Amino acid sequence: MITIYALCGGYLELPYESMIRDASPSRWTVPIECFLIDHPRGRLLFDTGLHCDTLTNMLGRYGPERATRFGVHSKAGDDVVSQLARVGLEPADVPFVANSHWHFDHCGGNEFFPQATIIVQQREMDAARSPELLAQGKYRPSPKDYDHPLRYHAVDGDHDVFGDGSVVLIPTYGHTPGHQSLLVRRGRDERLLFTADACYTRENMDRDILPTVVWDEREMSHALGRLRDLRDKQGAMTVYGHDPAQWRTLRQAPAPMA
Ligand SMILES: [Zn+2]
């Protein structure tokens, strides 16, 4: 039996119109979501959230531009290591970590998992290590979040984490060069889909509207369509990447979400 825990990685305040591109400018606060998948063969952590230093020193960690664009509304304990402790675990109890992508709110806690295998799409890794591509300025990861002596495992496309088809990383490129989402199959019929930033909110999927933070529009639209099919045609319970309304309805750790 697979058990899933929703871990609160804190909250970010940001421009609403960056998530819903036709919205009037305003600020809103969104959750940073991490998920622990407890499988009989081991555990997978999907995303590591913000680095704990961002709670107290966003400016020092990321500089003035991001400190102005983003407000951090997290409290002590809203970091992934503290959240794991809520379910009685330490980083060493988690053999697999996956990053949906390498934006700072999804891989900030990577450095705390030196024993884990960290699964990232090859395309994300190649892009983050290409000076020419980074110089274009459309994809802006922060090396201080992921560039540590960690055991990265690059994958290309679908990746079946435990080899039984129940926990599968699926490529959803477009938000960033190598974004991936997570599909969990439980029992015969139950599917849970964790979109991460391939779909920020339910509104993005329902209205087929992209954010402004996009690496490749065509690829991101295609990925959004694939995710919508999983939700609407295959009945996958869908957890969006940064949806405040949905987050309030999810049971958070230490209780299992599902
Ligand atoms: Zn994000």
Coordinates of all heavy atoms in Angstrom, one line a residue, residues 114-199:
P114 N 22.1 14.3 1.1 CA 23.3 13.8 0.4 C 23.3 12.3 0.2 O 24.0 11.7 -0.7 CB 24.4 14.2 1.4 CG 23.7 14.3 2.7 CD 22.3 14.8 2.4
Q115 N 22.4 11.5 0.9 CA 22.4 10.1 0.8 C 21.5 9.6 -0.3 O 21.5 8.5 -0.7 CB 22.0 9.3 2.0 CG 23.0 9.4 3.2 CD 22.6 10.4 4.2 OE1 21.9 11.3 4.0 NE2 22.9 10.1 5.5
A116 N 20.6 10.5 -0.8 CA 19.5 10.1 -1.7 C 20.0 10.1 -3.1 O 21.0 10.8 -3.5 CB 18.3 11.1 -1.5
T117 N 19.3 9.4 -4.0 CA 19.4 9.5 -5.4 C 18.4 10.6 -5.8 O 17.2 10.5 -5.5 CB 19.1 8.2 -6.1 OG1 20.1 7.3 -5.7 CG2 19.1 8.4 -7.6
I118 N 18.8 11.6 -6.5 CA 18.0 12.8 -6.8 C 17.7 12.7 -8.3 O 18.6 12.8 -9.1 CB 18.6 14.1 -6.4 CG1 18.9 14.1 -4.9 CG2 17.6 15.3 -6.8 CD1 19.4 15.4 -4.3
I119 N 16.4 12.5 -8.7 CA 16.0 12.2 -10.0 C 15.6 13.5 -10.7 O 14.7 14.2 -10.2 CB 14.9 11.1 -10.1 CG1 15.3 9.9 -9.3 CG2 14.6 10.8 -11.5 CD1 14.1 9.0 -9.0
V120 N 16.2 13.8 -11.8 CA 15.9 15.1 -12.6 C 15.9 14.7 -14.0 O 16.7 13.8 -14.5 CB 17.0 16.1 -12.3 CG1 16.7 17.4 -13.0 CG2 17.2 16.4 -10.8
Q121 N 15.1 15.3 -14.8 CA 15.2 15.1 -16.3 C 16.5 15.6 -16.8 O 17.0 16.7 -16.5 CB 14.0 15.8 -17.0 CG 12.6 15.2 -16.7 CD 12.4 13.9 -17.4 OE1 12.9 13.7 -18.5 NE2 11.7 12.9 -16.8
Q122 N 17.0 14.8 -17.8 CA 18.3 15.2 -18.4 C 18.3 16.6 -19.0 O 19.2 17.3 -18.9 CB 18.6 14.1 -19.5 CG 19.9 14.4 -20.2 CD 21.1 13.9 -19.4 OE1 21.2 12.8 -18.9 NE2 22.0 14.8 -19.1
R123 N 17.1 16.9 -19.6 CA 17.0 18.2 -20.3 C 17.1 19.4 -19.3 O 17.6 20.4 -19.6 CB 15.6 18.3 -21.0 CG 15.6 17.6 -22.3 CD 14.2 17.7 -23.0 NE 13.7 19.0 -23.0 CZ 12.9 19.5 -24.0 NH1 12.5 18.7 -24.9 NH2 12.4 20.7 -23.9
E124 N 16.6 19.2 -18.1 CA 16.7 20.2 -17.0 C 18.1 20.4 -16.6 O 18.6 21.5 -16.5 CB 15.8 19.8 -15.8 CG 15.6 20.9 -14.8 CD 14.6 22.0 -15.2 OE1 14.0 21.8 -16.3 OE2 14.4 22.9 -14.5
M125 N 18.8 19.3 -16.4 CA 20.2 19.3 -16.0 C 21.1 20.0 -17.1 O 21.9 20.8 -16.8 CB 20.6 17.9 -15.8 CG 21.5 17.7 -14.6 SD 21.8 15.9 -14.3 CE 20.8 15.6 -12.9
D126 N 20.9 19.6 -18.3 CA 21.7 20.1 -19.4 C 21.4 21.6 -19.5 O 22.4 22.4 -19.7 CB 21.3 19.5 -20.8 CG 21.7 18.0 -20.8 OD1 22.5 17.6 -20.0 OD2 21.3 17.3 -21.8
A127 N 20.2 22.0 -19.4 CA 19.9 23.5 -19.5 C 20.5 24.3 -18.4 O 21.1 25.3 -18.6 CB 18.4 23.7 -19.5
A128 N 20.4 23.7 -17.2 CA 21.0 24.5 -16.0 C 22.5 24.6 -16.0 O 23.1 25.4 -15.4 CB 20.5 23.8 -14.7
R129 N 23.1 23.7 -16.9 CA 24.6 23.7 -16.9 C 25.1 24.3 -18.3 O 26.2 24.1 -18.6 CB 25.1 22.3 -16.7 CG 24.8 21.9 -15.2 CD 25.2 20.5 -14.9 NE 25.0 20.3 -13.5 CZ 24.8 19.1 -12.9 NH1 24.9 18.0 -13.6 NH2 24.6 19.0 -11.6
S130 N 24.2 24.9 -19.0 CA 24.6 25.5 -20.3 C 24.7 27.0 -20.1 O 23.6 27.7 -20.0 CB 23.5 25.2 -21.3 OG 23.6 26.1 -22.4
P131 N 25.9 27.6 -20.1 CA 26.0 29.1 -19.9 C 25.3 29.8 -21.1 O 24.7 30.9 -20.8 CB 27.5 29.3 -20.0 CG 28.1 27.9 -19.7 CD 27.2 26.9 -20.2
E132 N 25.3 29.3 -22.3 CA 24.6 30.0 -23.4 C 23.1 30.1 -23.2 O 22.5 31.1 -23.4 CB 24.9 29.2 -24.7 CG 26.3 29.1 -25.1 CD 27.0 28.0 -24.4 OE1 26.4 26.9 -24.1 OE2 28.2 28.1 -24.1
L133 N 22.6 29.0 -22.7 CA 21.1 28.9 -22.5 C 20.7 29.9 -21.4 O 19.8 30.6 -21.4 CB 20.7 27.5 -22.3 CG 19.2 27.2 -22.3 CD1 18.9 25.9 -22.9 CD2 18.7 27.2 -20.9
L134 N 21.5 29.8 -20.3 CA 21.2 30.6 -19.1 C 21.3 32.1 -19.5 O 20.6 33.0 -19.0 CB 22.1 30.3 -18.0 CG 21.9 28.9 -17.4 CD1 22.9 28.7 -16.2 CD2 20.5 28.6 -16.9
A135 N 22.3 32.4 -20.4 CA 22.5 33.8 -20.8 C 21.2 34.4 -21.5 O 21.0 35.6 -21.5 CB 23.7 33.9 -21.7
Q136 N 20.4 33.6 -22.1 CA 19.2 34.1 -22.7 C 18.2 34.6 -21.7 O 17.3 35.4 -22.0 CB 18.4 32.9 -23.4 CG 19.2 32.3 -24.6 CD 18.5 31.1 -25.2 OE1 17.3 31.0 -25.1 NE2 19.2 30.2 -25.8
G137 N 18.3 34.2 -20.4 CA 17.5 34.8 -19.4 C 16.1 34.2 -19.2 O 15.3 34.7 -18.4
K138 N 15.7 33.3 -20.1 CA 14.3 32.8 -20.0 C 14.2 31.7 -18.9 O 13.1 31.4 -18.4 CB 13.9 32.2 -21.3 CG 13.2 33.2 -22.2 CD 12.9 32.6 -23.6 CE 11.7 31.7 -23.7 NZ 11.5 31.1 -25.0
Y139 N 15.3 31.0 -18.6 CA 15.3 30.0 -17.6 C 16.3 30.4 -16.6 O 17.5 30.6 -16.9 CB 15.6 28.6 -18.3 CG 15.9 27.5 -17.3 CD1 14.9 27.2 -16.3 CD2 17.0 26.7 -17.4 CE1 15.1 26.2 -15.4 CE2 17.2 25.7 -16.5 CZ 16.3 25.4 -15.5 OH 16.5 24.4 -14.6
R140 N 15.8 30.6 -15.3 CA 16.7 31.2 -14.3 C 16.7 30.3 -13.1 O 16.1 30.7 -12.1 CB 16.3 32.6 -14.0 CG 16.3 33.5 -15.3 CD 16.4 34.9 -15.0 NE 15.4 35.4 -14.1 CZ 15.5 36.3 -13.2 NH1 16.7 36.9 -13.0 NH2 14.5 36.6 -12.4
P141 N 17.4 29.2 -13.1 CA 17.6 28.4 -11.9 C 18.7 29.1 -11.0 O 19.4 29.9 -11.5 CB 18.0 27.1 -12.4 CG 18.8 27.4 -13.7 CD 18.2 28.6 -14.3
S142 N 18.8 28.7 -9.8 CA 19.9 29.2 -8.9 C 20.8 28.1 -8.5 O 20.4 27.2 -7.8 CB 19.3 29.8 -7.6 OG 18.4 30.9 -7.9
P143 N 22.0 28.1 -9.0 CA 22.9 27.0 -8.8 C 23.1 26.7 -7.3 O 23.3 25.5 -6.9 CB 24.2 27.5 -9.4 CG 23.8 28.4 -10.5 CD 22.6 29.1 -10.0
K144 N 22.9 27.7 -6.4 CA 23.2 27.4 -5.0 C 22.1 26.5 -4.4 O 22.3 25.9 -3.4 CB 23.2 28.7 -4.2 CG 21.9 29.5 -4.2 CD 22.0 30.7 -3.2 CE 23.1 31.7 -3.6 NZ 23.1 32.9 -2.8
D145 N 21.0 26.3 -5.2 CA 20.0 25.3 -4.7 C 20.3 23.9 -5.1 O 20.0 23.0 -4.4 CB 18.6 25.7 -5.3 CG 18.1 27.0 -4.8 OD1 18.3 27.3 -3.6 OD2 17.6 27.8 -5.6
Y146 N 20.9 23.7 -6.3 CA 21.1 22.3 -6.7 C 22.6 22.0 -6.9 O 22.9 20.8 -7.1 CB 20.3 22.1 -8.1 CG 20.7 23.0 -9.2 CD1 21.9 22.8 -10.0 CD2 19.9 24.2 -9.4 CE1 22.2 23.7 -10.9 CE2 20.3 25.1 -10.4 CZ 21.4 24.8 -11.2 OH 21.8 25.7 -12.1
D147 N 23.4 22.9 -7.0 CA 24.8 22.6 -7.3 C 25.6 22.2 -6.1 O 26.5 23.0 -5.6 CB 25.4 23.8 -8.1 CG 26.6 23.4 -9.0 OD1 26.9 22.2 -9.0 OD2 27.2 24.3 -9.6
H148 N 25.4 21.1 -5.6 CA 26.1 20.5 -4.5 C 26.6 19.1 -4.9 O 26.1 18.5 -5.8 CB 25.1 20.4 -3.3 CG 24.6 21.7 -2.9 ND1 25.2 22.6 -2.1 CD2 23.4 22.3 -3.2 CE1 24.5 23.7 -1.9 NE2 23.3 23.5 -2.6
P149 N 27.5 18.5 -4.1 CA 28.0 17.2 -4.5 C 26.9 16.2 -4.1 O 27.0 15.5 -3.0 CB 29.3 17.0 -3.6 CG 29.1 18.0 -2.5 CD 28.3 19.1 -3.0
L150 N 25.9 16.0 -4.9 CA 24.7 15.1 -4.6 C 24.7 14.1 -5.7 O 25.3 14.2 -6.7 CB 23.4 15.9 -4.6 CG 23.4 17.0 -3.5 CD1 22.2 18.0 -3.8 CD2 23.2 16.5 -2.1
R151 N 23.9 13.0 -5.4 CA 23.9 11.9 -6.3 C 22.7 12.1 -7.3 O 21.6 11.6 -7.1 CB 23.6 10.6 -5.5 CG 24.8 10.1 -4.7 CD 25.0 8.6 -4.8 NE 23.8 7.9 -4.5 CZ 23.6 7.4 -3.3 NH1 24.5 7.5 -2.3 NH2 22.4 6.8 -3.0
Y152 N 23.0 12.9 -8.3 CA 21.9 13.2 -9.3 C 21.8 12.0 -10.3 O 22.8 11.5 -10.7 CB 22.2 14.5 -10.0 CG 21.8 15.7 -9.2 CD1 22.8 16.5 -8.7 CD2 20.5 16.0 -8.9 CE1 22.5 17.6 -7.9 CE2 20.2 17.1 -8.1 CZ 21.2 17.9 -7.6 OH 20.9 19.0 -6.9
H153 N 20.6 11.7 -10.6 CA 20.3 10.6 -11.6 C 19.5 11.3 -12.7 O 18.3 11.6 -12.5 CB 19.6 9.5 -11.0 CG 19.2 8.4 -11.9 ND1 20.1 7.8 -12.8 CD2 18.0 7.8 -12.2 CE1 19.5 6.9 -13.5 NE2 18.2 6.9 -13.2
A154 N 20.1 11.4 -13.9 CA 19.3 12.1 -15.0 C 18.5 11.0 -15.7 O 19.0 9.9 -16.0 CB 20.3 12.7 -15.9
V155 N 17.3 11.4 -16.0 CA 16.4 10.5 -16.7 C 15.9 11.2 -18.0 O 15.9 12.5 -18.0 CB 15.2 9.9 -15.9 CG1 15.8 9.1 -14.7 CG2 14.3 11.1 -15.4
D156 N 15.4 10.4 -18.9 CA 15.0 11.0 -20.2 C 13.6 10.5 -20.5 O 13.4 9.4 -20.9 CB 16.0 10.6 -21.3 CG 15.7 11.3 -22.6 OD1 15.0 12.3 -22.6 OD2 16.3 10.9 -23.6
G157 N 12.6 11.3 -20.1 CA 11.2 10.9 -20.3 C 10.6 10.2 -19.1 O 11.1 10.4 -18.0
D158 N 9.7 9.3 -19.4 CA 9.0 8.6 -18.3 C 10.0 7.8 -17.4 O 11.0 7.2 -18.0 CB 8.0 7.5 -18.8 CG 6.7 8.2 -19.3 OD1 6.6 9.4 -19.2 OD2 5.8 7.4 -19.6
H159 N 9.8 7.8 -16.1 CA 10.7 7.1 -15.2 C 9.9 6.4 -14.1 O 9.3 7.1 -13.3 CB 11.8 8.0 -14.6 CG 12.7 7.3 -13.7 ND1 13.7 6.4 -14.2 CD2 12.8 7.3 -12.3 CE1 14.3 5.9 -13.1 NE2 13.9 6.4 -12.0
D160 N 10.0 5.1 -14.1 CA 9.2 4.3 -13.1 C 10.1 4.1 -11.9 O 11.1 3.3 -11.9 CB 8.9 2.9 -13.8 CG 8.1 2.0 -13.0 OD1 7.9 2.3 -11.8 OD2 7.6 1.0 -13.5
V161 N 9.8 4.8 -10.8 CA 10.8 4.9 -9.7 C 11.0 3.6 -9.0 O 12.1 3.2 -8.7 CB 10.3 6.0 -8.7 CG1 11.2 6.1 -7.5 CG2 10.1 7.3 -9.3
F162 N 9.9 2.8 -8.8 CA 10.1 1.6 -8.0 C 10.0 0.3 -8.9 O 9.9 -0.8 -8.4 CB 9.1 1.5 -6.9 CG 9.4 2.6 -5.8 CD1 8.5 3.7 -5.7 CD2 10.5 2.6 -5.0 CE1 8.8 4.7 -4.8 CE2 10.7 3.6 -4.1 CZ 9.9 4.7 -4.0
G163 N 9.8 0.5 -10.2 CA 9.8 -0.6 -11.2 C 8.6 -1.4 -11.2 O 8.5 -2.5 -11.9
D164 N 7.5 -0.9 -10.6 CA 6.2 -1.7 -10.7 C 5.1 -0.8 -11.3 O 3.9 -1.2 -11.2 CB 5.8 -2.1 -9.2 CG 5.5 -0.9 -8.3 OD1 5.8 0.2 -8.7 OD2 5.1 -1.2 -7.2
G165 N 5.4 0.3 -11.9 CA 4.4 1.1 -12.6 C 3.6 1.9 -11.7 O 2.7 2.6 -12.1
S166 N 3.8 1.9 -10.3 CA 2.9 2.7 -9.4 C 3.4 4.1 -9.2 O 2.5 4.9 -8.8 CB 2.8 1.9 -8.1 OG 4.1 1.9 -7.5
V167 N 4.6 4.4 -9.3 CA 5.1 5.8 -9.1 C 6.0 6.2 -10.3 O 7.1 5.7 -10.4 CB 5.9 5.8 -7.8 CG1 6.5 7.2 -7.5 CG2 5.1 5.3 -6.6
V168 N 5.4 7.0 -11.1 CA 6.1 7.3 -12.4 C 6.2 8.8 -12.6 O 5.3 9.5 -12.5 CB 5.3 6.7 -13.6 CG1 6.0 6.9 -14.9 CG2 5.1 5.2 -13.4
L169 N 7.5 9.2 -12.8 CA 7.7 10.6 -13.2 C 7.5 10.7 -14.7 O 7.9 9.9 -15.5 CB 9.2 10.9 -12.9 CG 9.5 10.9 -11.4 CD1 11.0 10.8 -11.1 CD2 8.9 12.2 -10.7
I170 N 6.7 11.7 -15.1 CA 6.4 11.9 -16.5 C 6.8 13.3 -17.0 O 6.7 14.3 -16.3 CB 4.8 11.8 -16.7 CG1 4.0 12.8 -15.9 CG2 4.4 10.3 -16.4 CD1 2.5 12.7 -16.2
P171 N 7.4 13.3 -18.2 CA 8.0 14.6 -18.7 C 6.8 15.5 -19.0 O 5.9 15.1 -19.6 CB 8.7 14.2 -19.9 CG 8.1 12.9 -20.4 CD 7.6 12.2 -19.1
T172 N 6.9 16.7 -18.5 CA 5.9 17.8 -18.8 C 6.7 19.1 -19.1 O 6.7 20.0 -18.4 CB 4.9 18.0 -17.7 OG1 5.6 18.0 -16.4 CG2 3.9 16.9 -17.6
Y173 N 7.5 19.0 -20.2 CA 8.4 20.1 -20.5 C 7.6 21.4 -20.9 O 6.5 21.3 -21.3 CB 9.3 19.7 -21.7 CG 10.0 18.4 -21.6 CD1 10.2 17.6 -22.7 CD2 10.5 18.0 -20.3 CE1 11.0 16.4 -22.6 CE2 11.3 16.8 -20.2 CZ 11.5 16.0 -21.3 OH 12.2 14.8 -21.3
G174 N 8.3 22.5 -20.7 CA 7.7 23.7 -21.2 C 7.8 24.8 -20.2 O 8.2 25.9 -20.6
H175 N 7.4 24.6 -19.0 CA 7.5 25.6 -17.9 C 9.0 25.9 -17.8 O 9.5 27.1 -17.8 CB 6.9 25.1 -16.6 CG 7.2 26.0 -15.5 ND1 6.7 27.3 -15.4 CD2 7.9 25.9 -14.3 CE1 7.0 27.9 -14.3 NE2 7.8 27.0 -13.6
T176 N 9.8 24.8 -17.7 CA 11.3 24.9 -17.9 C 11.7 23.8 -18.9 O 10.8 23.0 -19.3 CB 12.0 24.6 -16.5 OG1 11.6 23.3 -16.1 CG2 11.6 25.6 -15.4
P177 N 12.9 23.8 -19.3 CA 13.3 22.9 -20.4 C 13.1 21.4 -20.0 O 12.7 20.6 -20.9 CB 14.8 23.2 -20.5 CG 15.0 24.6 -20.1 CD 14.0 24.8 -19.0
G178 N 13.2 21.0 -18.8 CA 13.0 19.6 -18.5 C 12.1 19.4 -17.3 O 12.4 18.5 -16.4
H179 N 11.0 20.1 -17.2 CA 10.0 19.9 -16.1 C 9.4 18.5 -16.1 O 9.3 17.9 -17.2 CB 8.9 20.9 -16.2 CG 8.0 21.0 -15.1 ND1 7.0 20.1 -14.8 CD2 7.9 21.9 -14.0 CE1 6.4 20.4 -13.7 NE2 6.9 21.5 -13.2
Q180 N 9.2 18.0 -14.9 CA 8.5 16.7 -14.9 C 7.4 16.7 -13.8 O 7.5 17.5 -12.8 CB 9.5 15.5 -14.6 CG 10.3 15.6 -13.3 CD 11.3 14.5 -13.1 OE1 11.3 13.5 -13.9 NE2 12.1 14.7 -12.1
S181 N 6.4 15.9 -14.0 CA 5.3 15.8 -13.0 C 5.3 14.3 -12.5 O 6.2 13.5 -12.9 CB 3.9 16.1 -13.7 OG 3.9 17.4 -14.2
L182 N 4.4 14.0 -11.6 CA 4.4 12.7 -10.9 C 3.0 12.1 -11.0 O 2.0 12.7 -10.7 CB 4.8 12.9 -9.5 CG 4.8 11.6 -8.6 CD1 5.8 10.6 -9.1 CD2 5.0 12.0 -7.1
L183 N 3.0 10.8 -11.4 CA 1.7 10.1 -11.5 C 1.8 8.9 -10.6 O 2.8 8.1 -10.7 CB 1.4 9.6 -12.9 CG 0.1 8.9 -13.1 CD1 -1.1 9.8 -12.8 CD2 0.0 8.4 -14.6
V184 N 0.9 8.8 -9.6 CA 0.9 7.6 -8.7 C -0.4 6.8 -9.0 O -1.5 7.3 -9.1 CB 0.9 8.1 -7.2 CG1 0.8 6.9 -6.3 CG2 2.1 8.9 -6.9
R185 N -0.2 5.5 -9.2 CA -1.3 4.6 -9.3 C -1.4 3.8 -8.1 O -0.4 3.1 -7.6 CB -1.1 3.7 -10.5 CG -1.0 4.4 -11.9 CD -0.9 3.4 -13.0 NE -0.9 4.0 -14.3 CZ 0.3 4.4 -14.9 NH1 1.4 4.1 -14.3 NH2 0.3 5.0 -16.1
R186 N -2.6 3.7 -7.5 CA -2.8 3.0 -6.3 C -4.0 2.0 -6.5 O -5.0 2.5 -6.9 CB -3.0 3.9 -5.1 CG -2.6 3.4 -3.8 CD -2.4 4.5 -2.8 NE -3.7 5.2 -2.6 CZ -3.9 6.0 -1.5 NH1 -3.0 6.1 -0.6 NH2 -5.1 6.6 -1.4
G187 N -3.8 0.8 -6.2 CA -4.9 -0.2 -6.4 C -5.1 -0.3 -7.9 O -4.3 0.1 -8.7
R188 N -6.3 -0.8 -8.2 CA -6.6 -1.0 -9.7 C -7.0 0.3 -10.4 O -6.7 0.5 -11.5 CB -7.7 -2.0 -9.8 CG -7.2 -3.4 -10.1 CD -8.3 -4.3 -10.4 NE -9.2 -3.9 -11.4 CZ -10.2 -4.6 -11.8 NH1 -10.5 -5.8 -11.3 NH2 -11.0 -4.1 -12.7
D189 N -7.7 1.2 -9.7 CA -8.3 2.3 -10.3 C -7.9 3.7 -9.9 O -8.1 4.7 -10.6 CB -9.9 2.3 -10.1 CG -10.4 1.0 -10.7 OD1 -10.0 0.5 -11.7 OD2 -11.3 0.4 -10.0
E190 N -7.2 3.8 -8.8 CA -6.9 5.1 -8.2 C -5.7 5.7 -8.8 O -4.6 5.1 -8.9 CB -6.8 5.0 -6.7 CG -6.8 6.4 -6.0 CD -6.6 6.3 -4.5 OE1 -6.3 5.2 -4.0 OE2 -6.7 7.3 -3.9
R191 N -5.8 6.9 -9.3 CA -4.6 7.6 -9.8 C -4.5 9.0 -9.2 O -5.6 9.7 -9.1 CB -4.7 7.9 -11.4 CG -4.5 6.6 -12.2 CD -4.6 7.0 -13.7 NE -4.0 6.0 -14.5 CZ -4.6 4.9 -14.9 NH1 -5.8 4.6 -14.4 NH2 -4.0 4.0 -15.7
L192 N -3.3 9.4 -8.8 CA -3.1 10.7 -8.2 C -2.0 11.4 -9.1 O -1.0 10.8 -9.3 CB -2.7 10.6 -6.8 CG -3.7 10.1 -5.8 CD1 -3.3 8.6 -5.4 CD2 -3.8 10.9 -4.6
L193 N -2.3 12.6 -9.5 CA -1.4 13.3 -10.4 C -0.9 14.6 -9.7 O -1.7 15.4 -9.2 CB -2.2 13.7 -11.6 CG -1.5 14.6 -12.7 CD1 -0.3 13.8 -13.3 CD2 -2.5 15.0 -13.8
F194 N 0.4 14.7 -9.6 CA 1.0 15.9 -9.0 C 1.7 16.7 -10.2 O 2.7 16.3 -10.7 CB 2.0 15.4 -8.0 CG 1.4 14.6 -6.8 CD1 1.2 13.3 -6.9 CD2 0.9 15.3 -5.7 CE1 0.6 12.5 -5.9 CE2 0.3 14.6 -4.7 CZ 0.1 13.2 -4.8
T195 N 1.0 17.8 -10.5 CA 1.5 18.5 -11.7 C 2.7 19.3 -11.5 O 3.4 19.5 -12.5 CB 0.4 19.4 -12.2 OG1 0.2 20.5 -11.3 CG2 -1.0 18.7 -12.4
A196 N 3.0 19.7 -10.3 CA 4.0 20.7 -10.0 C 3.7 21.9 -10.9 O 2.5 22.2 -11.2 CB 5.4 20.2 -10.1
D197 N 4.7 22.6 -11.4 CA 4.5 23.9 -12.1 C 4.1 23.7 -13.6 O 4.0 24.7 -14.3 CB 5.7 24.8 -12.0 CG 5.8 25.3 -10.5 OD1 5.0 24.9 -9.7 OD2 6.7 26.1 -10.3
A198 N 3.9 22.5 -14.0 CA 3.3 22.3 -15.4 C 1.9 22.8 -15.4 O 1.3 23.1 -16.4 CB 3.3 20.9 -15.8
C199 N 1.3 23.0 -14.1 CA 0.0 23.6 -14.0 C -0.1 24.2 -12.6 O -0.3 23.4 -11.6 CB -1.1 22.6 -14.2 SG -2.8 23.3 -14.1

